[in-house]
Amino acid sequence: MNYNWNWGIFFQPNPMGTGTYLDMLLAGLVLTLKTAALAWVIALITGSIVGVMRTLPSKGATWFGFAYVEFFRNMPLLVQLFLWFFVLPEILPKAAGLWLKQLPNAPFWTAAIGVGFFMSARVAVQLQAGILSLPRGQKMAATALGLTTVQGYRYVLLPMAFRIILPPLTSEFLNTIKNTAVAITIGLLELTGQARSMQEFSFQVFEAFTAATILYLLVNAVVVTAMRFLERWVAIPGYITGK
Protein backbone atom coordinates (compact mmCIF):
# COMPACT_ATOMS: atom_id res chain seq x y z
CA MET A 1 0.00 0.00 0.00
CA ASN A 2 1.44 3.34 -1.08
CA TYR A 3 0.52 5.54 1.87
CA ASN A 4 2.47 8.55 3.10
CA TRP A 5 2.55 8.47 6.89
CA ASN A 6 2.76 11.88 8.54
CA TRP A 7 2.44 11.90 12.32
CA GLY A 8 3.47 15.54 12.39
CA ILE A 9 0.12 16.45 10.81
CA PHE A 10 -1.36 17.02 14.27
CA PHE A 11 0.81 20.10 14.78
CA GLN A 12 0.04 21.67 11.42
CA PRO A 13 -2.60 24.44 11.12
CA ASN A 14 -6.05 23.24 10.15
CA PRO A 15 -7.91 24.91 7.25
CA MET A 16 -10.61 26.33 9.54
CA GLY A 17 -8.15 28.64 11.26
CA THR A 18 -8.93 27.33 14.74
CA GLY A 19 -5.43 26.11 15.54
CA THR A 20 -3.80 22.82 14.70
CA TYR A 21 -5.37 19.51 13.75
CA LEU A 22 -4.72 18.39 17.31
CA ASP A 23 -6.82 21.32 18.52
CA MET A 24 -9.61 20.08 16.26
CA LEU A 25 -9.55 16.64 17.83
CA LEU A 26 -9.41 18.02 21.37
CA ALA A 27 -12.37 20.31 20.64
CA GLY A 28 -14.25 17.26 19.40
CA LEU A 29 -13.30 15.37 22.56
CA VAL A 30 -14.67 18.17 24.74
CA LEU A 31 -17.93 18.13 22.80
CA THR A 32 -18.09 14.34 23.14
CA LEU A 33 -17.70 14.61 26.91
CA LYS A 34 -20.33 17.36 27.17
CA THR A 35 -22.81 15.39 25.09
CA ALA A 36 -22.16 12.18 27.01
CA ALA A 37 -22.45 13.92 30.39
CA LEU A 38 -25.81 15.50 29.58
CA ALA A 39 -27.07 12.28 27.99
CA TRP A 40 -26.03 10.31 31.08
CA VAL A 41 -27.87 12.70 33.40
CA ILE A 42 -31.01 12.24 31.30
CA ALA A 43 -30.51 8.48 31.18
CA LEU A 44 -29.90 8.15 34.91
CA ILE A 45 -32.86 10.28 36.00
CA THR A 46 -35.36 8.94 33.47
CA GLY A 47 -34.10 5.38 33.73
CA SER A 48 -34.35 5.45 37.52
CA ILE A 49 -37.97 6.60 37.39
CA VAL A 50 -38.91 3.97 34.80
CA GLY A 51 -36.94 1.28 36.62
CA VAL A 52 -38.83 1.95 39.83
CA MET A 53 -42.14 1.94 37.97
CA ARG A 54 -41.35 -1.53 36.63
CA THR A 55 -41.15 -2.85 40.21
CA LEU A 56 -44.28 -1.20 41.62
CA PRO A 57 -47.39 -3.29 42.36
CA SER A 58 -49.44 -0.97 40.11
CA LYS A 59 -50.28 -2.63 36.79
CA GLY A 60 -50.49 0.73 35.05
CA ALA A 61 -46.99 1.73 36.17
CA THR A 62 -45.62 -1.68 35.26
CA TRP A 63 -47.11 -1.59 31.77
CA PHE A 64 -45.87 1.96 31.18
CA GLY A 65 -42.37 0.93 32.22
CA PHE A 66 -42.53 -2.14 30.00
CA ALA A 67 -43.72 -0.14 26.98
CA TYR A 68 -41.11 2.58 27.54
CA VAL A 69 -38.23 0.13 27.70
CA GLU A 70 -39.37 -1.89 24.72
CA PHE A 71 -39.85 1.24 22.60
CA PHE A 72 -36.48 2.86 23.27
CA ARG A 73 -34.43 -0.33 23.61
CA ASN A 74 -35.66 -2.06 20.47
CA MET A 75 -35.32 0.88 18.08
CA PRO A 76 -31.82 1.55 16.68
CA LEU A 77 -30.17 4.66 18.07
CA LEU A 78 -29.58 6.03 14.58
CA VAL A 79 -33.29 5.85 13.79
CA GLN A 80 -34.14 7.58 17.07
CA LEU A 81 -31.74 10.44 16.35
CA PHE A 82 -33.26 10.90 12.91
CA LEU A 83 -36.75 10.97 14.44
CA TRP A 84 -35.73 13.58 17.00
CA PHE A 85 -33.81 15.73 14.51
CA PHE A 86 -35.71 15.46 11.23
CA VAL A 87 -39.22 14.17 11.98
CA LEU A 88 -40.20 15.79 15.29
CA PRO A 89 -39.97 19.42 14.02
CA GLU A 90 -42.24 18.51 11.10
CA ILE A 91 -45.04 16.93 13.15
CA LEU A 92 -45.15 19.61 15.85
CA PRO A 93 -47.20 22.79 15.45
CA LYS A 94 -45.56 25.16 13.00
CA ALA A 95 -44.28 27.60 15.63
CA ALA A 96 -42.79 24.87 17.80
CA GLY A 97 -41.25 23.12 14.81
CA LEU A 98 -39.69 26.36 13.58
CA TRP A 99 -38.29 27.01 17.05
CA LEU A 100 -36.65 23.59 17.10
CA LYS A 101 -35.13 24.10 13.65
CA GLN A 102 -33.66 27.46 14.69
CA LEU A 103 -32.44 26.24 18.07
CA PRO A 104 -28.73 27.07 18.56
CA ASN A 105 -26.55 23.95 18.70
CA ALA A 106 -29.52 21.82 17.68
CA PRO A 107 -27.34 18.76 16.87
CA PHE A 108 -25.88 18.88 20.39
CA TRP A 109 -29.23 19.01 22.16
CA THR A 110 -30.72 16.40 19.85
CA ALA A 111 -27.80 14.04 20.39
CA ALA A 112 -27.88 14.46 24.16
CA ILE A 113 -31.63 13.88 24.37
CA GLY A 114 -31.65 11.04 21.84
CA VAL A 115 -28.74 9.16 23.40
CA GLY A 116 -30.10 9.91 26.87
CA PHE A 117 -33.51 8.36 26.25
CA PHE A 118 -31.95 5.44 24.39
CA MET A 119 -29.67 4.66 27.33
CA SER A 120 -32.40 5.31 29.91
CA ALA A 121 -34.14 2.11 28.84
CA ARG A 122 -31.01 0.15 29.66
CA VAL A 123 -30.60 1.92 32.99
CA ALA A 124 -34.22 1.11 33.84
CA VAL A 125 -33.66 -2.60 33.26
CA GLN A 126 -30.46 -2.55 35.33
CA LEU A 127 -32.18 -0.80 38.22
CA GLN A 128 -35.15 -3.14 38.08
CA ALA A 129 -32.78 -6.10 38.31
CA GLY A 130 -30.98 -4.47 41.24
CA ILE A 131 -34.20 -3.87 43.16
CA LEU A 132 -35.53 -7.37 42.50
CA SER A 133 -32.23 -8.89 43.64
CA LEU A 134 -32.69 -7.48 47.14
CA PRO A 135 -34.08 -9.78 49.84
CA ARG A 136 -37.83 -9.39 50.31
CA GLY A 137 -37.19 -8.77 53.97
CA GLN A 138 -35.83 -5.29 53.25
CA LYS A 139 -39.08 -4.11 51.73
CA MET A 140 -41.04 -5.77 54.50
CA ALA A 141 -38.83 -4.12 57.11
CA ALA A 142 -39.45 -0.71 55.53
CA THR A 143 -43.19 -1.35 55.70
CA ALA A 144 -42.93 -2.52 59.31
CA LEU A 145 -41.17 0.74 60.21
CA GLY A 146 -44.16 2.66 58.89
CA LEU A 147 -42.42 4.00 55.79
CA THR A 148 -44.55 4.83 52.78
CA THR A 149 -43.78 3.29 49.39
CA VAL A 150 -41.86 6.40 48.33
CA GLN A 151 -39.91 6.48 51.59
CA GLY A 152 -39.18 2.77 51.36
CA TYR A 153 -37.66 3.19 47.92
CA ARG A 154 -35.80 6.36 48.84
CA TYR A 155 -34.25 5.27 52.12
CA VAL A 156 -34.03 1.48 51.83
CA LEU A 157 -34.32 -0.06 48.37
CA LEU A 158 -32.69 2.45 46.02
CA PRO A 159 -29.51 3.07 48.07
CA MET A 160 -28.89 -0.67 48.13
CA ALA A 161 -29.88 -1.28 44.51
CA PHE A 162 -27.64 1.45 43.11
CA ARG A 163 -24.66 0.07 44.98
CA ILE A 164 -25.30 -3.38 43.56
CA ILE A 165 -25.64 -2.22 39.95
CA LEU A 166 -22.64 0.13 39.89
CA PRO A 167 -20.54 -2.28 37.75
CA PRO A 168 -23.16 -2.59 34.97
CA LEU A 169 -23.89 1.14 35.23
CA THR A 170 -20.21 1.74 34.52
CA SER A 171 -20.57 -0.24 31.30
CA GLU A 172 -23.67 1.75 30.36
CA PHE A 173 -21.83 5.04 30.94
CA LEU A 174 -19.02 3.85 28.67
CA ASN A 175 -21.63 2.93 26.06
CA THR A 176 -23.09 6.42 26.39
CA ILE A 177 -19.72 7.97 25.59
CA LYS A 178 -19.24 5.72 22.57
CA ASN A 179 -22.81 6.18 21.34
CA THR A 180 -22.24 9.92 20.92
CA ALA A 181 -20.25 9.03 17.79
CA VAL A 182 -23.54 8.25 16.04
CA ALA A 183 -24.41 11.95 16.30
CA ILE A 184 -22.07 12.63 13.39
CA THR A 185 -25.02 11.68 11.20
CA ILE A 186 -26.95 14.76 12.33
CA GLY A 187 -24.01 17.13 12.01
CA LEU A 188 -22.48 17.06 15.49
CA LEU A 189 -18.72 17.49 15.18
CA GLU A 190 -17.74 15.49 18.24
CA LEU A 191 -14.53 13.46 18.33
CA THR A 192 -15.44 11.07 15.51
CA GLY A 193 -16.77 13.96 13.44
CA GLN A 194 -13.59 15.97 13.91
CA ALA A 195 -11.46 12.94 13.04
CA ARG A 196 -13.43 12.57 9.83
CA SER A 197 -13.00 16.27 9.06
CA MET A 198 -9.27 15.97 9.64
CA GLN A 199 -9.14 13.01 7.28
CA GLU A 200 -11.04 14.90 4.59
CA PHE A 201 -8.83 17.99 4.89
CA SER A 202 -5.45 16.26 5.14
CA PHE A 203 -6.09 12.81 3.61
CA GLN A 204 -4.26 11.31 6.63
CA VAL A 205 -7.00 8.85 7.49
CA PHE A 206 -4.94 6.46 9.60
CA GLU A 207 -3.39 9.18 11.72
CA ALA A 208 -6.75 10.88 12.31
CA PHE A 209 -8.63 7.80 13.45
CA THR A 210 -5.67 6.38 15.37
CA ALA A 211 -5.61 9.56 17.44
CA ALA A 212 -9.38 9.42 17.94
CA THR A 213 -9.12 5.79 19.05
CA ILE A 214 -6.41 6.62 21.58
CA LEU A 215 -8.48 9.49 23.00
CA TYR A 216 -11.53 7.24 23.37
CA LEU A 217 -9.42 4.62 25.13
CA LEU A 218 -7.93 7.19 27.51
CA VAL A 219 -11.34 8.58 28.43
CA ASN A 220 -12.77 5.12 29.00
CA ALA A 221 -9.76 4.13 31.11
CA VAL A 222 -10.26 7.18 33.32
CA VAL A 223 -13.97 6.40 33.72
CA VAL A 224 -13.33 2.75 34.60
CA THR A 225 -10.66 3.67 37.14
CA ALA A 226 -12.86 6.30 38.78
CA MET A 227 -15.82 3.95 38.95
CA ARG A 228 -13.70 1.22 40.54
CA PHE A 229 -12.76 3.59 43.34
CA LEU A 230 -16.42 4.56 43.71
CA GLU A 231 -17.48 0.90 43.85
CA ARG A 232 -15.01 0.20 46.65
CA TRP A 233 -16.06 3.32 48.53
CA VAL A 234 -19.77 2.51 48.57
CA ALA A 235 -19.40 -1.28 48.67
CA ILE A 236 -21.67 -3.22 51.02
CA PRO A 237 -20.22 -6.29 52.75
CA GLY A 238 -21.62 -9.42 51.17
CA TYR A 239 -22.75 -7.71 47.94
CA ILE A 240 -20.51 -8.16 44.86
CA THR A 241 -17.73 -5.61 45.56
CA GLY A 242 -18.20 -5.67 49.31
CA LYS A 243 -15.63 -7.38 51.50
Side-chain angles (χ1 to χ4, degrees):
M1 181 176 63
N2 187 18
Y3 181 79
N4 295 319
W5 295 90
N6 180 15
W7 293 104
I9 188 68
F10 299 108
F11 305 103
Q12 296 179 10
N14 65 65
M16 295 184 293
T18 56
T20 63
Y21 283 107
L22 180 60
D23 294 328
M24 280 180 57
L25 294 178
L26 293 178
L29 176 62
V30 171
L31 190 54
T32 290
L33 295 177
K34 288 181 179 179
T35 307
L38 180 55
W40 184 243
V41 170
I42 295 173
L44 198 58
I45 294 175
T46 309
S48 298
I49 295 173
V50 176
V52 168
M53 293 179 69
R54 286 167 64 92
T55 63
L56 292 175
S58 169
K59 289 186 177 180
T62 302
W63 275 105
F64 175 83
F66 173 81
Y68 181 95
V69 169
E70 294 305 313
F71 178 82
F72 284 103
R73 185 173 60 175
N74 293 332
M75 188 185 304
L77 175 58
L78 181 61
V79 175
Q80 293 188 36
L81 288 182
F82 281 1
L83 289 176
W84 285 108
F85 193 72
F86 296 111
V87 178
L88 183 62
E90 301 299 331
I91 62 177
L92 289 176
K94 186 175 181 180
L98 185 61
W99 178 80
L100 283 178
K101 292 178 181 179
Q102 297 176 346
L103 186 68
N105 298 323
F108 167 77
W109 296 109
T110 302
I113 293 172
V115 174
F117 280 118
F118 177 77
M119 295 304 301
S120 68
R122 303 176 65 89
V123 172
V125 174
Q126 299 286 2
L127 183 58
Q128 178 192 13
I131 293 174
L132 295 180
S133 70
L134 296 174
R136 293 183 59 188
Q138 294 199 14
K139 188 173 183 180
M140 296 170 64
T143 303
L145 289 172
L147 299 180
T148 64
T149 300
V150 174
Q151 291 173 331
Y153 273 91
R154 179 181 178 184
Y155 296 113
V156 180
L157 300 181
L158 289 181
M160 292 288 290
F162 274 114
R163 285 172 167 85
I164 293 172
I165 66 172
L166 264 181
L169 281 186
T170 300
S171 297
E172 300 303 345
F173 184 37
L174 295 178
N175 287 333
T176 302
I177 296 174
K178 291 180 288 186
N179 283 340
T180 59
V182 181
I184 188 178
T185 58
I186 58 173
L188 185 68
L189 289 179
E190 38 66 65
L191 180 54
T192 301
Q194 293 288 19
R196 184 176 179 181
S197 296
M198 175 181 171
Q199 171 255 315
E200 291 175 347
F201 286 135
S202 66
F203 301 102
Q204 305 295 145
V205 57
F206 292 109
E207 290 87 343
F209 283 98
T210 297
T213 300
I214 292 173
L215 289 174
Y216 276 119
L217 290 174
L218 289 175
V219 169
N220 289 347
V222 171
V223 171
V224 170
T225 302
M227 292 303 291
R228 283 180 179 173
F229 280 110
L230 181 61
E231 289 171 19
R232 293 172 184 171
W233 184 45
V234 301
I236 302 171
Y239 283 90
I240 304 179
T241 55
K243 296 182 179 179

